[in-house]
mmCIF file of all heavy atoms in Angstrom:
data_model
loop_
_atom_site.group_PDB
_atom_site.id
_atom_site.type_symbol
_atom_site.label_atom_id
_atom_site.label_comp_id
_atom_site.label_asym_id
_atom_site.label_seq_id
_atom_site.Cartn_x
_atom_site.Cartn_y
_atom_site.Cartn_z
ATOM 1 N N LEU H 138 -26.895 -9.734 10.025
ATOM 2 C CA LEU H 138 -27.862 -10.809 10.185
ATOM 3 C C LEU H 138 -27.237 -12.050 10.783
ATOM 4 O O LEU H 138 -27.905 -12.880 11.360
ATOM 5 C CB LEU H 138 -28.515 -11.145 8.837
ATOM 6 C CG LEU H 138 -29.416 -10.065 8.241
ATOM 7 C CD1 LEU H 138 -29.952 -10.538 6.896
ATOM 8 C CD2 LEU H 138 -30.544 -9.724 9.174
ATOM 9 N N GLY H 139 -25.919 -12.203 10.626
ATOM 10 C CA GLY H 139 -25.238 -13.358 11.206
ATOM 11 C C GLY H 139 -25.155 -13.274 12.718
ATOM 12 O O GLY H 139 -24.788 -14.247 13.352
ATOM 13 N N GLY H 140 -25.493 -12.142 13.291
ATOM 14 C CA GLY H 140 -25.587 -12.076 14.732
ATOM 15 C C GLY H 140 -24.482 -11.338 15.454
ATOM 16 O O GLY H 140 -24.667 -10.936 16.586
ATOM 17 N N VAL H 166 -31.550 -15.036 15.690
ATOM 18 C CA VAL H 166 -32.291 -14.847 14.442
ATOM 19 C C VAL H 166 -32.396 -16.153 13.679
ATOM 20 O O VAL H 166 -32.472 -16.184 12.456
ATOM 21 C CB VAL H 166 -31.655 -13.763 13.556
ATOM 22 C CG1 VAL H 166 -31.822 -12.407 14.191
ATOM 23 C CG2 VAL H 166 -30.187 -14.042 13.295
ATOM 24 N N GLY H 167 -32.413 -17.261 14.391
ATOM 25 C CA GLY H 167 -32.611 -18.552 13.752
ATOM 26 C C GLY H 167 -31.437 -19.021 12.920
ATOM 27 O O GLY H 167 -30.297 -18.909 13.337
ATOM 28 N N GLN H 168 -31.719 -19.512 11.688
ATOM 29 C CA GLN H 168 -30.695 -20.177 10.928
ATOM 30 C C GLN H 168 -29.620 -19.252 10.359
ATOM 31 O O GLN H 168 -28.623 -19.718 9.833
ATOM 32 C CB GLN H 168 -31.316 -21.001 9.802
ATOM 33 C CG GLN H 168 -32.078 -20.208 8.765
ATOM 34 C CD GLN H 168 -33.568 -20.179 9.059
ATOM 35 O OE1 GLN H 168 -33.975 -20.189 10.222
ATOM 36 N NE2 GLN H 168 -34.386 -20.126 8.022
ATOM 37 N N SER H 169 -29.825 -17.930 10.429
ATOM 38 C CA SER H 169 -28.795 -17.015 9.969
ATOM 39 C C SER H 169 -27.627 -16.920 10.949
ATOM 40 O O SER H 169 -26.597 -16.324 10.624
ATOM 41 C CB SER H 169 -29.365 -15.614 9.750
ATOM 42 O OG SER H 169 -30.335 -15.639 8.731
ATOM 43 N N GLU H 170 -27.794 -17.504 12.143
ATOM 44 C CA GLU H 170 -26.813 -17.311 13.203
ATOM 45 C C GLU H 170 -25.618 -18.251 13.021
ATOM 46 O O GLU H 170 -25.478 -19.228 13.712
ATOM 47 C CB GLU H 170 -27.457 -17.591 14.538
ATOM 48 C CG GLU H 170 -27.684 -16.331 15.346
ATOM 49 C CD GLU H 170 -28.374 -16.675 16.646
ATOM 50 O OE1 GLU H 170 -29.599 -16.714 16.640
ATOM 51 O OE2 GLU H 170 -27.674 -16.871 17.628
ATOM 52 N N THR H 171 -24.738 -17.906 12.106
ATOM 53 C CA THR H 171 -23.553 -18.728 11.887
ATOM 54 C C THR H 171 -22.249 -17.976 12.178
ATOM 55 O O THR H 171 -21.192 -18.596 12.244
ATOM 56 C CB THR H 171 -23.522 -19.228 10.421
ATOM 57 O OG1 THR H 171 -23.577 -18.095 9.539
ATOM 58 C CG2 THR H 171 -24.708 -20.147 10.134
ATOM 59 N N ASP H 172 -22.303 -16.679 12.358
ATOM 60 C CA ASP H 172 -21.096 -15.912 12.648
ATOM 61 C C ASP H 172 -20.409 -16.387 13.911
ATOM 62 O O ASP H 172 -19.193 -16.274 14.048
ATOM 63 C CB ASP H 172 -21.413 -14.424 12.810
ATOM 64 C CG ASP H 172 -21.513 -13.694 11.469
ATOM 65 O OD1 ASP H 172 -21.377 -14.344 10.447
ATOM 66 O OD2 ASP H 172 -21.695 -12.456 11.484
ATOM 67 N N ALA H 197 -31.029 -25.457 6.796
ATOM 68 C CA ALA H 197 -30.068 -24.381 6.638
ATOM 69 C C ALA H 197 -28.633 -24.812 6.907
ATOM 70 O O ALA H 197 -27.711 -24.026 6.738
ATOM 71 C CB ALA H 197 -30.427 -23.245 7.587
ATOM 72 N N VAL H 199 -27.386 -25.565 9.783
ATOM 73 C CA VAL H 199 -26.934 -25.076 11.093
ATOM 74 C C VAL H 199 -26.436 -26.223 11.961
ATOM 75 O O VAL H 199 -25.599 -26.040 12.826
ATOM 76 C CB VAL H 199 -28.038 -24.268 11.807
ATOM 77 C CG1 VAL H 199 -27.664 -23.877 13.210
ATOM 78 C CG2 VAL H 199 -28.377 -23.023 10.987
#
Side-chain angles (χ1 to χ4, degrees):
L138 292 179
V166 291
Q168 62 264 33
S169 296
E170 252 178 274
T171 57
D172 277 4
V199 174

